[in-house]
Amino acid sequence: LLFTDQTQQNAFDLWKTRSFPVELHIDRQQPTAAETTTAASPVSNGQHLSQQDMCAAVSTPDTYSESYGNIAVHELMLKDLPRCKWYKAEIERACSHIKNAVVLDVGSGTGLLSLFAARAGAKKVYAVEANPKMARLTEAVVAANGMQDIISVIAGSLEDISLPEQVDMIVSEWMGFYLLHESMLCSVLTARQRWLKKDGVMIPTWAKLLAAPVSVPQLWARKVGFWKQADQTFGLNYSAAAAMAGEELSATPQIEVVRKEAVLAQERVVWEADLTRLSVHELDLVSNDSLEFKIPGNTAHDSSSGRAMHGLCLWFSVGGPTASLLQAASMRSTLLIASHDPIVTLQPLSTGPIDAETHWKQTIIALPEPLALERPVTRLECTVALRRGSGREYLLALTVSEAASARELLKSLTQNT
């Protein structure tokens, strides 16, 4: 197309550029030392635990289990009240309807979920922990709480150990950043195949990965903005360094607290799974190539200008067994109903920007350059893919394109004449 009007030419060039997809492949198998210095703060106080403590060493099973020998990691998780209260409530709900339940805790850590189950009335709990240091600690904690006759601590990886019986319930806190980081869900599914009775229950029972576009100028300013401030670079133009900083920002998922005001559009479900039916091989590739977002422009009451999309925010939610699943488990011939109260369904554990803060926070996949939101409504088309690597990591890929149609282009050109 040739234009005699430069304004129209500029409008066409902008449309063409913004309509071509921006492709990001976050495929480094291990974070570098520089990438792991971002602080991941505990929810309840001002102490800092580095992202390296939470994300490091996921490439091999041995180093993965070793990383959880750090007691500070477990302190962070026990201080996460939304996490702990949700598990406590779901375990108590399940145990109140399944009398004398046999429970398997996969990746028991300090034994909190096992202790919840024992205190809720479980007949037997098998706490499986791959880290020998934490397994010894759990044994001490179990003994200190007088529950050694109920809880048996088994040191070893889930894939290598054996149990003397089938179980009525599997509990596990397997979720990582953006839900699947660390790939621990594979071990939980293996446990389900090997030891869960028919009609047995799992906590959690289902999981969802969600996404929404976000505007996080503070993150951009912190990671990239320095290179665009001439007063900070001795009056010299370092825009090339800013471009490099933007590329590095987009190459590593950012673990941040995202406020609800930063969310630009209604969230969409990237992936959801029924964990009672999900197979291990289905975790090799988790993807969605049909995500669409409508981002409204500034309103008359919105004084902000120059608003932009800086990336895609990921978070997750998980839920417990439905009333029908609990009813089926409690009606098995080998069990008795422990409670005749109606089976209520609890709220899911959700880790989104509108929810109570958790140690998972939210994950931002940043764009290498902010996308200016200049239209009354900006329509985005996105694809998200998470592919399992050779170890416990996931390789992320994001494609973003502005869904501006030719009709919208012609309308824009007409308005500019």
Side-chain angles (χ1 to χ4, degrees):
L1 295 178
L2 298 177
F3 296 88
T4 58
D5 185 282
Q6 187 60 45
T7 301
Q8 293 186 354
Q9 180 70 58
N10 293 341
F12 174 75
D13 291 341
L14 178 63
W15 171 82
K16 181 174 66 174
T17 300
R18 289 162 62 107
S19 296
F20 288 158
V22 175
E23 297 186 4
L24 303 178
H25 297 278
I26 305 170
D27 55 5
R28 300 183 189 178
Q29 295 193 1
Q30 293 189 32
T32 66
E35 293 165 350
T36 55
T37 56
T38 302
S41 303
V43 172
S44 59
N45 61 35
Q47 298 177 3
H48 292 277
L49 186 71
S50 72
Q51 191 171 334
Q52 185 173 10
D53 292 326
M54 294 300 295
C55 295
V58 297
S59 60
T60 66
D62 291 340
T63 53
Y64 169 72
S65 63
E66 288 171 5
S67 70
Y68 277 89
N70 184 345
I71 193 63
V73 173
H74 298 276
E75 178 184 352
L76 178 65
M77 292 189 286
L78 261 71
K79 286 180 175 178
D80 186 340
L81 294 183
R83 164 194 182 268
C84 297
K85 287 182 177 180
W86 183 83
Y87 271 99
K88 180 176 181 291
E90 283 290 357
I91 290 170
E92 289 175 348
R93 181 176 75 115
C95 287
S96 70
H97 291 278
I98 304 175
K99 187 176 182 180
N100 297 325
V102 178
V103 179
L104 169 60
D105 182 359
V106 179
S108 57
T110 58
L112 182 67
L113 305 189
S114 295
L115 292 163
F116 283 163
R119 194 164 62 180
K123 179 180 69 174
K124 186 66 181 179
V125 180
Y126 297 101
V128 179
E129 173 53 47
N131 185 284
K133 180 180 176 182
M134 296 313 301
R136 291 192 296 270
L137 174 63
T138 300
E139 288 179 337
V141 172
V142 167
N145 287 276
M147 296 184 180
Q148 60 271 33
D149 293 337
I150 300 175
I151 301 175
S152 294
V153 180
I154 302 174
S157 66
L158 190 284
E159 291 77 7
D160 297 332
I161 60 98
S162 61
L163 297 181
E165 58 184 321
Q166 299 290 99
V167 303
D168 305 297
M169 187 189 313
I170 293 177
V171 299
S172 180
E173 198 273 74
W174 53 265
M175 299 84 73
F177 297 124
Y178 56 86
L179 184 65
L180 296 174
H181 179 77
E182 299 177 2
S183 299
M184 186 178 165
L185 180 54
C186 295
S187 296
V188 176
L189 299 183
T190 299
R192 183 200 70 195
Q193 291 298 106
R194 294 180 65 185
W195 293 303
L196 187 64
K197 294 178 181 177
K198 182 181 179 181
D199 295 327
V201 299
M202 300 177 68
I203 299 175
T205 306
W206 58 263
K208 290 182 181 180
L209 177 63
L210 301 107
V214 290
S215 177
V216 284
Q218 299 87 350
L219 173 65
W220 184 263
R222 192 170 76 241
K223 299 284 188 176
V224 182
F226 168 81
W227 297 106
K228 293 193 172 185
Q229 300 178 42
D231 60 335
Q232 298 290 317
T233 57
F234 305 97
L236 300 172
N237 185 337
Y238 267 84
S239 57
M244 181 181 293
E247 292 172 357
E248 292 185 357
L249 173 64
S250 67
T252 306
Q254 303 295 312
I255 310 302
E256 299 280 334
V257 174
V258 177
R259 302 302 178 190
K260 61 182 180 180
E261 296 81 10
V263 178
L264 296 170
Q266 180 68 37
E267 72 270 14
R268 295 288 183 261
V269 176
V270 177
W271 179 77
E272 58 185 324
D274 177 354
L275 304 183
T276 66
R277 300 176 181 272
L278 184 69
S279 65
V280 172
H281 72 83
E282 289 179 88
L283 295 173
D284 291 342
L285 176 63
V286 170
S287 65
N288 189 322
D289 59 2
S290 59
L291 294 175
E292 295 185 358
F293 300 99
K294 291 184 178 181
I295 304 176
N298 295 337
T299 65
H301 303 288
D302 189 354
S303 60
S304 64
S305 61
R307 196 170 59 136
M309 172 189 168
H310 294 91
L312 196 69
C313 179
L314 302 176
W315 68 91
F316 66 84
S317 63
V318 294
T322 63
S324 59
L325 287 175
L326 279 179
Q327 188 69 24
S330 63
M331 290 299 291
R332 271 188 270 108
S333 59
T334 56
L335 299 174
L336 298 174
I337 297 292
S339 171
H340 294 284
D341 296 334
I343 300 178
V344 297
T345 300
L346 302 179
Q347 290 295 316
L349 172 61
S350 185
T351 63
I354 67 171
D355 302 304
E357 186 179 332
T358 69
H359 77 279
W360 291 287
K361 302 185 179 182
Q362 289 83 41
T363 300
I364 299 174
I365 304 177
L367 299 178
E369 282 285 345
L371 175 65
L373 303 174
E374 300 168 340
R375 300 177 182 275
V377 177
T378 300
R379 294 189 296 114
L380 295 181
E381 297 175 347
C382 302
T383 67
V384 177
L386 295 85
R387 188 182 301 274
R388 284 191 68 192
S390 58
R392 287 184 172 269
E393 78 283 356
Y394 266 85
L395 313 181
L396 282 75
L398 168 67
T399 300
V400 180
S401 61
E402 186 179 4
S405 66
R407 184 182 298 275
E408 290 172 327
L409 169 65
L410 292 175
K411 182 179 179 181
S412 172
L413 297 179
T414 302
Q415 290 173 345
N416 288 332
T417 59

